[in-house]
Amino acid sequence: MNEQISLVSPSIEELPDAVVGVRLDGEVLFWNRAAERIFGIDRKEATGRELVALIGAPDRSAESREKLRQALASGAAAYEDVFRRIDGSRVYADLSVRVVEEAVERHAVICLRDVTEQRYRRQAEALEARFRGLLESAPDAMVIANRDRRILLVNAQTEKLFGYSRGELVGQPVETLVPPRFRDDHPSDRAASAADPRVSGTGEGGESYGLRKDGGEFPVEISLCLVETPEGVVVSSAIRDITERKRAEQKFRDLLESAPDAMVIVDAKGKIALANAQAEKLFGYAREEMIGQPVELLVPPRLREAHQKHRTGYFADPRIRQMGAGIELYGVRKDGIEVPVEISLSPLETDEGVLVSAAIRDITDRKKAEEKFRGLLESAPDAMVIVDAMGNIALTNAQAEKLFGYAREEMIGQPVELLVPPRLRENHEKYRTGYFADPRLRLMGAGIELYGVRKDGVEIPVEISLSPLETDEGVLVSAAIRDITDRRKAEEKFRGLLESAPDAMVIVDASGAITLIN
C-alpha cells in the first residue's frame, strides 16, 4: 500500500483498495469508489459517520474501535480486522493507517485491502484436508459454509444435485443454491440456526426448496449442524432431494381425500400429521388447527388419559385393527359435542418411522337405529340372538339370558355354537355356513327337530325362526328361539292318548294335511 497517499491526490479514485479519510475521532471525511464497491455504501451516506459504527462487525465493534484508536494515537499502524457490508456479510481486510498533516487539520488515511476471498480459500483448504473423505462417503449432498454464509466445501453429490462444479460453488454465498423467492428469509433462518448450535432439519414443518444451475427448483429436506474447527465455527448442511417423496405424498393425499371416512394420520409422538376434508367435516376443525396437535384433541377429555396409554401400547405393537372391533369409542367435536365413532387403525412404514392411519366413521345414526332395534329386541317374547357372518353372537336380549342362563356379556363375541349341544356342533357349523351362502327367511315349525344347551349343560328342545338382516357391516342373521319343552311334554301325553284309542285316529290341519296318525 502507498502510505504517502493524500486525500487531495486524484489517484485515490483509481486504487483497487478502499481508501478512507477520517478525523482523529473516527468520523469519515473521504470515501473512494473502491470503498463504495467493497462495502456497498455510497460516499454521501458514509461521509460524516463514525467509521466503526458504519462498517464494524457487530460482534467485534468494541475491539475494532480500540484497534483504530491505538493506530490513530501511534500515528501509523498495520493490522487485520473484520468489517461488514451493507448486506450484513463480513469483509476481512488488511488495514494500513497513517496520520497525515494537511493545511487545515490532522487526519488519517486508512487503506483497506479486501482479503476475504484469500481467507475463504485458506479456510476451504484446511476443511478439505479434514473433511473431504467423510463428505464424499455421505449419501446426501453436503455443503459446508462459514459464518459469513460463504460455501467452503461441497461433495460430489452436491455437484450432481445442483448441476454446479465445486469450483463454481466454493466462495459463493449459499443463497446461490436457494430460489430467489426464499432468499430474503434465508439469512435470518441461518442466523437463528447459528445462534442455537444444535442439529436441526429445516424440512420439518416448513417447505424448503433448492435451485439448480439450470434454474429448476426442487423440494429438499435440510439438516443443519454447527461444527467447531480450528478455522472457526462452520455450518454443515446435509441436503436431500425429496421430489419422489413429495409425489408419493401427493398421491397419498389424493387417496386420503377420496376416502369416504374421516382420515387422520398420527406420528409416533401422538401428533396429527395429516387429516382429510372428511375429518374437518366430522370434527369441525380446519386441518391447520389439527395438524401438529396431539390426537387427543379429538378425544373427549374424560377418555384422554386412557387413550394416551392405548396409543402408546398400539405403537409398541402396531397392527391392522378393523372397524367393528367391539369397542365403544367416542370422538369430540370442536364445539365440545361427543360423537360415537368406529375406528380402523393401520400402521404405515415411512422414512420418518411408523405412522398410524386412523379411518374414523361417525356412527351416530347407526347408534340411534341400534337403540331402536334393541328396544324391539327386548320387547320380543322369544329369545333373540343376532349372529354375524363369522358365526359370532353380536346381540342378545333378556329372554336369551333367561333361556340359556348366560349373562349377555358372556354370549356376545362368542361363536353361536356355544348355545348348541356339543354332539350337534360340527353339523351346525356346516348348516350355518350354508345358510349365510343363501340367507332367506325360515319360519318356526319347519319340521326340524332342534335343541339348545343351557349354561348348566341341560339340553332343551327349541324352535328357531331365522331372518337375514342387511347392514353396513354385511349380512347378519336374527334367530328367534322358542323353548318348546312344555309343548313336547303335551305332545307326548297326547300321543299316548292317541295310541291308546281303539279306533284308527287321523289328525288333519286346517289345510287338510295329515299331521298325525296312530
Side-chain angles (χ1 to χ4, degrees):
M1 267 181 213
N2 183 358
E3 296 184 354
Q4 303 303 316
I5 202 161
S6 167
L7 295 186
V8 298
S9 171
S11 62
I12 287 178
E13 293 294 353
E14 308 303 322
L15 292 175
D17 299 326
V19 177
V20 179
V22 298
R23 299 184 192 279
L24 298 188
D25 61 2
E27 180 188 331
V28 175
L29 295 170
F30 179 77
W31 191 261
N32 75 342
R33 280 198 293 265
E36 290 181 316
R37 173 177 50 79
I38 292 170
F39 295 102
I41 302 170
D42 65 40
R43 82 182 56 186
K44 286 184 179 179
E45 186 180 351
T47 302
R49 300 276 300 279
E50 196 255 323
L51 182 64
V52 176
L54 181 65
I55 61 171
D59 58 329
R60 295 173 58 95
S61 292
E63 184 180 343
S64 296
R65 195 169 277 111
E66 178 58 24
K67 281 184 177 181
L68 181 59
R69 188 193 65 77
Q70 291 180 7
L72 294 175
S74 66
Y79 59 92
E80 185 182 280
D81 207 347
V82 183
F83 301 97
R84 64 177 170 84
R85 296 185 177 90
I86 190 68
D87 64 4
S89 60
R90 296 162 81 87
V91 177
Y92 294 87
D94 284 339
L95 275 74
S96 174
V97 181
R98 185 176 183 83
V99 176
V100 297
E101 295 279 353
E102 293 287 354
V104 180
E105 61 177 8
R106 296 175 74 220
H107 58 264
V109 176
I110 304 174
C111 292
L112 300 95
R113 174 165 293 166
D114 183 358
V115 295
T116 305
E117 295 303 322
Q118 296 93 308
R119 183 181 178 90
Y120 290 159
R121 195 176 302 113
R122 291 196 302 270
Q123 197 174 10
E125 288 169 356
L127 289 171
E128 176 101 16
R130 182 182 297 269
F131 294 116
R132 169 57 60 196
L134 183 63
L135 251 59
E136 292 304 333
S137 64
D140 297 317
M142 300 295 296
V143 176
I144 293 183
N146 62 15
R147 64 185 302 171
D148 302 321
R149 310 192 304 274
R150 295 281 178 165
I151 298 171
L152 300 175
L153 200 59
V154 300
N155 65 354
Q157 292 292 345
T158 304
E159 294 180 296
K160 182 179 177 182
L161 181 57
F162 289 95
Y164 290 96
S165 69
R166 67 191 67 197
E168 292 177 289
L169 289 176
V170 172
Q172 297 301 311
V174 293
E175 282 74 27
T176 303
L177 307 179
V178 177
R181 60 197 175 98
F182 294 120
R183 287 176 185 170
D184 288 344
D185 296 330
H186 196 256
S188 60
D189 290 343
R190 188 174 307 96
S193 297
D196 185 11
R198 295 175 297 176
V199 174
S200 64
T202 60
E204 298 170 5
E207 294 208 336
S208 298
Y209 288 84
L211 179 69
R212 292 191 181 88
K213 184 178 179 179
D214 62 10
E217 291 187 16
F218 58 100
V220 295
E221 195 171 66
I222 305 174
S223 176
L224 301 178
C225 181
L226 297 187
V227 180
E228 294 278 355
T229 75
E231 292 74 36
V233 175
V234 296
V235 179
S236 171
S237 304
I239 306 167
R240 182 172 298 170
D241 182 356
I242 57 171
T243 301
E244 291 306 317
R245 187 201 302 173
K246 283 280 185 181
R247 286 176 185 158
E249 282 180 358
Q250 189 55 51
K251 186 176 180 181
F252 181 69
R253 285 176 191 271
D254 292 342
L255 289 172
L256 214 63
E257 291 303 326
S258 65
D261 297 314
M263 300 295 296
V264 175
I265 310 299
V266 180
D267 65 22
K269 295 178 181 177
K271 300 290 181 68
I272 298 171
L274 282 175
N276 68 352
Q278 293 293 342
E280 293 182 298
K281 182 178 177 182
L282 174 58
F283 292 102
Y285 290 97
R287 71 189 70 193
E288 294 77 18
E289 296 178 279
M290 292 186 277
I291 290 173
Q293 296 299 313
V295 70
E296 282 74 27
L297 173 74
L298 310 179
V299 176
R302 62 190 174 86
L303 303 175
R304 285 177 184 168
E305 185 175 350
H307 186 271
Q308 287 178 347
K309 294 176 183 176
H310 294 321
R311 170 169 54 79
T312 302
Y314 183 86
F315 270 99
D317 181 23
R319 62 194 183 281
I320 292 175
R321 195 190 80 189
Q322 301 291 351
M323 286 190 176
I327 304 170
E328 200 161 271
L329 302 171
Y330 289 87
V332 64
R333 292 173 45 85
K334 184 178 180 179
D335 58 13
I337 294 174
E338 291 189 16
V339 287
V341 295
E342 201 168 61
I343 302 176
S344 173
L345 301 178
S346 300
L348 302 171
E349 294 286 345
T350 73
D351 293 340
E352 289 74 40
V354 175
L355 303 179
V356 172
S357 168
I360 306 165
R361 185 174 296 167
D362 181 358
I363 57 172
T364 303
D365 292 339
R366 189 204 302 168
K367 281 280 185 181
K368 290 176 181 175
E370 282 181 0
E371 285 305 315
K372 185 177 179 180
F373 182 68
R374 285 177 191 272
L376 292 170
L377 213 63
E378 292 303 328
S379 66
D382 297 314
M384 299 296 296
V385 176
I386 309 299
V387 180
D388 65 21
M390 301 297 292
N392 295 323
I393 298 170
L395 281 174
T396 63
N397 66 353
Q399 293 293 343
E401 293 181 296
K402 182 179 178 182
L403 175 59
F404 291 101
Y406 290 99
R408 71 187 67 195
E409 293 77 16
E410 296 178 279
M411 291 185 278
I412 291 174
Q414 297 299 314
V416 71
E417 281 74 27
L418 173 73
L419 310 179
V420 176
R423 63 189 174 88
L424 303 175
R425 284 176 185 169
E426 185 176 351
N427 285 335
H428 187 272
E429 288 181 8
K430 294 176 184 176
Y431 294 142
R432 171 170 53 79
T433 303
Y435 184 85
F436 270 99
D438 181 23
R440 61 193 184 282
L441 183 65
R442 197 189 77 187
L443 297 175
M444 285 187 179
I448 304 171
E449 201 165 85
L450 301 172
Y451 289 87
V453 64
R454 291 173 46 84
K455 183 177 181 180
D456 59 12
V458 175
E459 290 189 17
I460 46 175
V462 294
E463 200 169 60
I464 302 176
S465 172
L466 302 178
S467 301
L469 302 172
E470 294 286 345
T471 73
D472 291 341
E473 289 71 41
V475 176
L476 303 179
V477 171
S478 168
I481 307 167
R482 184 173 296 164
D483 181 359
I484 57 172
T485 302
D486 292 340
R487 188 203 302 171
R488 282 292 175 93
K489 288 177 182 177
E491 283 179 357
E492 287 302 318
K493 185 177 179 180
F494 184 68
R495 282 179 187 274
L497 291 171
L498 208 65
E499 293 300 331
S500 65
D503 300 315
M505 302 294 293
V506 178
I507 310 298
V508 181
D509 67 17
S511 66
I514 297 171
T515 60
L516 205 59
I517 62 173
N518 68 349

